[in-house]
Amino acid sequence: MINTENFEFEGVYHVFSHVNGTEVIFREPSNYQFFLEKIDKYILPVADIYAYCLLPNHFHLLLRFKNFDNVNNENEHQSLMKHFGNLLNAYAKAYNKRYNRKGALFLNSVKRKKISDEKYLLKVLHYIHNNPINHGFVNKIDEWKHSSYNSYVTPKKGSKLDRKEIMQYFDSVEIFRNYHQSTVEYDFLNFE
């Protein structure tokens, strides 16, 4: 059974970005790990990560920004997205150096969609974890190593994911698995 307990939606977002052009942003397994290390450095100080998926040409994050007390609505976007700018710039500089390339790696801006209710939260979670299947990279959700899905079904010590917030919606890991294997309409999810 999926629960609908109280969940505070202030500061919860789906954040995503794509590569500039037809290149890839992750050429080898070490690139994925390096990007996660940059997330640790630039995003974890300001946000709790609920879910992620890194694909060769784009990424998705589901997160909650930690502190809105000192940020008014006009500065919210600028303040929050500054951290993503730092993340993407740091990754792109290292990537360009390693692969002897020049120019922008990512599209001009990181996109974000505010999560306003449980239905939308659960659809975004499903979408993020099923993205490798939707793009034809794997046939089964647990085959993709660069998402947070496996961290939910086989929790690891030291994980930096905030699994507790998401798992309050599911009575068990089995229900979590079943939900992710079900068909969900992404009718109002305009991401890519």
Side-chain angles (χ1 to χ4, degrees), residues 58-118:
H58 68 286
F59 69 87
H60 296 272
L61 298 171
L62 177 60
L63 52 78
R64 176 200 303 271
F65 286 100
K66 291 180 180 178
N67 187 351
F68 276 84
D69 295 341
N70 299 324
V71 178
N72 64 38
N73 285 338
E74 289 130 27
N75 295 330
E76 177 183 305
H77 177 76
Q78 189 175 28
S79 174
L80 299 177
M81 293 300 106
K82 175 183 157 198
H83 298 282
F84 279 95
N86 292 340
L87 160 71
L88 299 184
N89 285 335
Y91 183 81
K93 283 180 184 177
Y95 183 94
N96 285 349
K97 184 176 180 181
R98 176 172 176 119
Y99 297 109
N100 197 26
R101 72 174 294 281
K102 294 181 181 184
L105 182 60
F106 295 93
L107 291 177
N108 290 337
S109 64
V110 172
K111 295 182 180 179
R112 69 184 176 116
K113 300 279 184 176
K114 180 128 174 81
I115 306 296
S116 56
D117 59 49
E118 289 123 4

Side-chain angles (χ1 to χ4, degrees), residues 101-145:
R101 72 174 294 281
K102 294 181 181 184
L105 182 60
F106 295 93
L107 291 177
N108 290 337
S109 64
V110 172
K111 295 182 180 179
R112 69 184 176 116
K113 300 279 184 176
K114 180 128 174 81
I115 306 296
S116 56
D117 59 49
E118 289 123 4
K119 182 179 178 183
Y120 193 46
L121 175 79
L122 294 174
K123 282 188 174 196
V124 170
L125 178 72
H126 186 280
Y127 177 83
I128 288 173
H129 284 153
N130 277 282
N131 216 249
I133 294 172
N134 297 339
H135 287 284
F137 292 113
V138 292
N139 293 318
K140 293 173 33 180
I141 192 170
D142 59 351
E143 293 174 341
W144 190 251
K145 296 178 182 177

Side-chain angles (χ1 to χ4, degrees), residues 36-55:
L36 290 175
E37 290 168 8
K38 294 300 169 201
I39 288 175
D40 289 354
K41 180 177 180 178
Y42 293 103
I43 305 305
L44 280 181
V46 297
D48 295 317
I49 307 291
Y50 296 143
Y52 70 88
C53 187
L54 310 180
L55 293 150

Side-chain angles (χ1 to χ4, degrees), residues 127-176:
Y127 177 83
I128 288 173
H129 284 153
N130 277 282
N131 216 249
I133 294 172
N134 297 339
H135 287 284
F137 292 113
V138 292
N139 293 318
K140 293 173 33 180
I141 192 170
D142 59 351
E143 293 174 341
W144 190 251
K145 296 178 182 177
H146 311 293
S147 86
S148 54
Y149 175 80
N150 287 323
S151 293
Y152 276 96
V153 296
T154 53
K156 298 173 187 164
K157 283 188 174 185
S159 173
K160 296 176 182 166
L161 282 176
D162 190 345
R163 293 185 298 250
K164 184 179 83 174
E165 291 292 332
I166 294 300
M167 288 307 292
Q168 75 178 333
Y169 288 100
F170 303 94
D171 287 341
S172 68
V173 171
E174 191 60 33
I175 291 169
F176 179 88

